[in-house]
Amino acid sequence: MMRILRVMSLCLAALWLAACASTPEPIRAAPPGAPQPDEVRADPARFQGSQVRWGGVIAGVNNLADHTLVEVVSRPLTSGGRPRESDVTQGRFLARVPGFLDPAVYVAGREITVSGRVAGLESRPVGDYPYPYVRVDVDVHQLWAVREPVRDPYYSPWWYDPWYPYHPIYGPWRRY
């Protein structure tokens, strides 16, 4: 019996460690004193080259010859680095990822977290508005799985609690 418990505890420990190791360390841990996108946009020279960990929702992907520019609407991050589901934002930023990212996978609306260095500002239009994007040269990025909607538990209209006092069969008026 003890051997079975020992094997089961080792399997659970291995699963726990595997779950922790699935996200890269730069994504899980925020660099100390890292600025937010709105702070960098206000004073880009001060934060040039700073290590950051930002995330949010993809707004667009532009593949170029040697890198990909991912336009991200920033969101606050959880302690594990995943963007929170909220309408709070610190603005937009451009993530410059080396190589090719498939726009069919990195589609608008997906959540992404990047870790890299601030490379300056780049002005691009959002509609007719010239928007100053903070550009980040990405070292590591994490594309998060699509969140499944939370369903309420199914309630059957035919189920009836037998101990409810007004049940037609089990009510207090029934004599045995």
Side-chain angles (χ1 to χ4, degrees):
M1 184 67 174
M2 289 300 287
R3 185 174 183 190
I4 294 172
L5 287 175
R6 187 178 312 147
V7 169
M8 288 180 62
S9 64
L10 285 173
C11 289
L12 286 174
L15 283 173
W16 181 72
L17 287 173
C20 291
S22 63
T23 306
E25 179 61 31
I27 300 296
R28 276 187 279 135
Q36 296 301 317
D38 53 356
E39 294 177 83
V40 176
R41 191 174 301 104
D43 190 5
R46 177 178 165 209
F47 296 108
Q48 184 76 22
S50 297
Q51 184 72 30
V52 294
R53 177 190 71 160
W54 294 341
V57 178
I58 295 174
V61 175
N62 185 15
N63 281 300
L64 301 172
D66 60 343
H67 64 275
T68 302
L69 288 175
V70 182
E71 181 182 339
V72 182
V73 178
S74 71
R75 296 253 173 93
L77 302 177
T78 63
S79 60
R82 185 171 187 154
R84 294 185 189 277
E85 288 185 292
S86 70
D87 289 336
V88 177
T89 182
Q90 292 104 10
R92 295 178 177 218
F93 65 92
L94 287 174
R96 184 181 182 271
V97 182
F100 174 79
L101 296 180
D102 193 343
V105 176
Y106 291 78
V107 65
R110 293 283 304 265
E111 294 175 325
I112 190 170
T113 303
V114 300
S115 177
R117 301 205 173 272
V118 175
L121 287 182
E122 186 174 319
S123 185
R124 292 176 159 230
V126 176
D128 289 333
Y129 184 79
Y131 191 85
Y133 287 89
V134 178
R135 196 176 77 238
V136 177
D137 288 335
V138 176
D139 299 326
V140 179
H141 72 279
Q142 172 76 35
L143 183 68
W144 299 96
V146 177
R147 295 181 198 250
E148 295 296 325
V150 178
R151 291 188 55 206
D152 290 335
Y154 176 73
Y155 174 75
S156 171
W158 305 113
W159 183 83
Y160 208 81
D161 184 5
W163 304 109
Y164 190 71
Y166 302 109
H167 192 276
I169 298 173
Y170 300 101
W173 53 82
R174 178 157 182 189
R175 303 267 184 221
Y176 290 104

